[in-house]
């Protein structure tokens, strides 16, 4: 709705340029209220009154244009309340804060300030009101006194009207019920809530968003640090308990810090009280990073800092790289987080002591610090974060069983994504593995044998160890992905590479639509060919490359 400021003229017909104000074309506060701006900056003389009476006298003079066409018949004391009085002895001026009310209930955000100069005249009146509240609340039409009805019928009508109006402002749930509703909603997103940082309270308002019916609502705030920093304002319908609107009050800032490899990076952080926290609420339902402080309870405590500089490299990388992975899935596949529905991404750094691993436990990421010889903190390599979070994506799509060939496929797909997200070389975990040995890695997609993995079906390892060799036989589809993206001739089969970005599009489609929990390598071939056919056509260079890359490693 287009809004133009209502300019009230008092004592002057001359409208100077400085007295015209224009609101923006759209009401950017529309979800909070259907506000009409008010501004009177023409000096207005008020005589024969002092104290609050000056306020009422001024408003009474203006009320025809204040809140609605029907305001004229109402007492201004029923339309506004004075919420604050400040006398500035230094300048001899008086300052009032007012809130529009309806049947004694304040209208959310409909506040004004009114100012008197040292002579007691109005120097400025400014703020917002909501017009035509009765209509917006669906209040019954007041019975018109001139109505031609018998006295008895008229009395009936009037009584009904009065009790309906009364009902409009009578809550049917309590403040504590409203608080519970808000807390339950927040808990459904972040998990069981920890201690409230601000004792919860709920206040009744008339909530009148633009384009919607006005409602009697409790406004309350959920403010917790654990299991994740949350500061959300809720508008809960005081009649039926539904959540009418909510918005996040955590301020965002850009944090800075050094990662595990000593590289300085920036990332999105939040605020909690006077501290900055590794909480990014700009992505899905948030990215939260914790420290286990070398213990094993999860998720641990939220990493915080007194400034936007964070001096915890393992946590910095876990946080910054989780955002990189989120962005990769969002921009390439339109996927909103791990589950496609904004699932909060939680990571815990400093798990246990000298812990040489990183894992996805089904609900969050966990990173050890490494023992300093085999590994340095495992969050220091983007492909590791991409690998682990992709396990979460797989769980929410094909849900490949983590055993045997489906398990090896699960592992391989995590390597494919981790490697593509980083896009640097064909090694996995090179940045965090064996700090004293350069050029080595956990796995090599271009040359799996270098990491003790097979690269062709002829060398498939039958074992019951490692869930049936999930970290071993993943070398075979890994090699086929390398050939598909990079190209090359392997075991006499030539593949024309299509690049990582097209290759990963095909893999994502296979994972998301075609593969099932017990798919084996052969099913992977069928899924990849169909996915490539969908995207590029059955006779495309891409589909030919898919077939050749799989044939080369013996996946038929
Ligand atoms: Ca790497
Ligand atoms: Ca190394
Ligand atoms: Zn894995």
């Amino acid at each position: 709705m287009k809004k133009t400021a209502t300019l009230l003229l008092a004592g002057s017909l001359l409208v100077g340029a400085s007295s015209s104000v224009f609101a923006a074309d759209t009401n950017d506060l529309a979800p909070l209220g259907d506000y009409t701006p008010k501004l009177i900056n023409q000096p207005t003389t008020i005589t024969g009154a002092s104290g609050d009476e000056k306020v009422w006298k001024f408003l009474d003079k203006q009320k025809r244009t204040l809140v609605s066409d029907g305001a004229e018949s109402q007492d201004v004391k029923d339309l506004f309340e004075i919420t604050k009085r400040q006398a500035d002895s230094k300048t001899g001026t008086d300052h009032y804060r007012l809130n529009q009310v309806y049947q004694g209930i304040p209208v959310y955000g409909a506040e004004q300030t009114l100012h008197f100069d040292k002579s007691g005249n109005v120097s400025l009146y400014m703020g917002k009101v909501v017009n035509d509240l009765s209509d917006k609340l669906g209040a019954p039409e007041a019975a018109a006194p001139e109505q031609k009805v018998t006295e008895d019928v008229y009395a009936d009508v009037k009584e009904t009207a009065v009790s309906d109006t009364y009902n409009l402002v009578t809550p049917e749930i309590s403040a504590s019920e409203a608080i519970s509703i808000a807390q339950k909603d927040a808990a459904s997103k972040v998990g069981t809530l920890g201690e409230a940082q601000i004792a919860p309270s709920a206040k009744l308002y008339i909530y009148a968003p633009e384009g919607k019916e006005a409602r009697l609502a409790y406004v309350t705030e959920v403010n917790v640090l654990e299991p994740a920093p949350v500061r959300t304002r809720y508008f809960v319908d005081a009649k039926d308990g539904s959540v009418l609107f909510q918005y996040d009050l955590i301020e965002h800032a850009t944090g800075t810090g050094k990662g595990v490899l000593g590289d300085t990076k920036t990332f999105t952080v939040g605020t909690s009280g006077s501290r900055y926290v590794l909480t990014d609420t700009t992505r899905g339902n948030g990215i939260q990073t914790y420290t286990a402080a070398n213990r094993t309870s999860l998720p641990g405590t939220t990493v915080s800092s007194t400034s936007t500089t964070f001096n915890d490299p393992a946590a910095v990388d876990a946080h910054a790289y989780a955002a990189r992975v989120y962005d990769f899935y969002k921009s390439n596949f339109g996927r909103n987080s791990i589950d496609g529905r904004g699932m909060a991404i939680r990571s815990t750094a400093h798990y246990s002591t000298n812990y040489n691993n990183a894992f996805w436990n089904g609900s969050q990421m966990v990173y050890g610090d490494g023992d300093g010889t085999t590994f340095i903190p495992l969050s220091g390599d983007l492909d590791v974060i991409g690998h682990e979070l992709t396990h979460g994506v797989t769980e929410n799509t094909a849900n490949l069983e983590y055993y045997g060939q489906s398990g090896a496929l699960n592992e391989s797909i995590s390597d494919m994504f981790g490697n593509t997200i980083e896009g640097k070389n064909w090694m996995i975990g090179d940045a965090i593995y064996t700090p004293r040995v350069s050029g080595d890695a956990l796995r090599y997609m271009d040359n799996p044998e270098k990491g003790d993995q097979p690269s062709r079906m002829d060398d498939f390892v039958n074992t019951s160890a490692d869930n049936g060799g999930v970290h071993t036989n993943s070398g075979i589809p890994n090699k086929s992905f390398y050939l598909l993206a990079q190209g090359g001739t392997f075991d006499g089969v030539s593949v024309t590479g299509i690049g990582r970005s097209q290759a990963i599009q095909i893999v994502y489609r296979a994972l998301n639509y075609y593969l099932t929990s017990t798919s084996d390598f052969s099913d992977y071939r069928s899924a990849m060919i169909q996915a490539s056919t969908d995207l590029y056509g059955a006779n495309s260079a891409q589909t030919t490359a898919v077939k050749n890359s799989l044939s080369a490693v013996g996946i038929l």
Side-chain angles (χ1 to χ4, degrees), residues 383-407:
D383 68 50
V384 173
I385 284 77
H387 175 107
E388 298 303 339
L389 290 173
T390 297
H391 279 313
V393 173
T394 297
E395 202 173 301
N396 282 280
T397 50
N399 195 22
L400 290 159
E401 288 283 346
Y402 203 61
Y403 197 90
Q405 282 195 24
S406 59

Side-chain angles (χ1 to χ4, degrees), residues 515-531:
L515 295 170
T516 66
S517 58
T518 51
S519 287
D520 59 15
F521 288 0
S522 173
D523 296 320
Y524 174 66
R525 181 184 174 98
S526 306
M528 286 291 284
I529 291 170
Q530 187 57 50

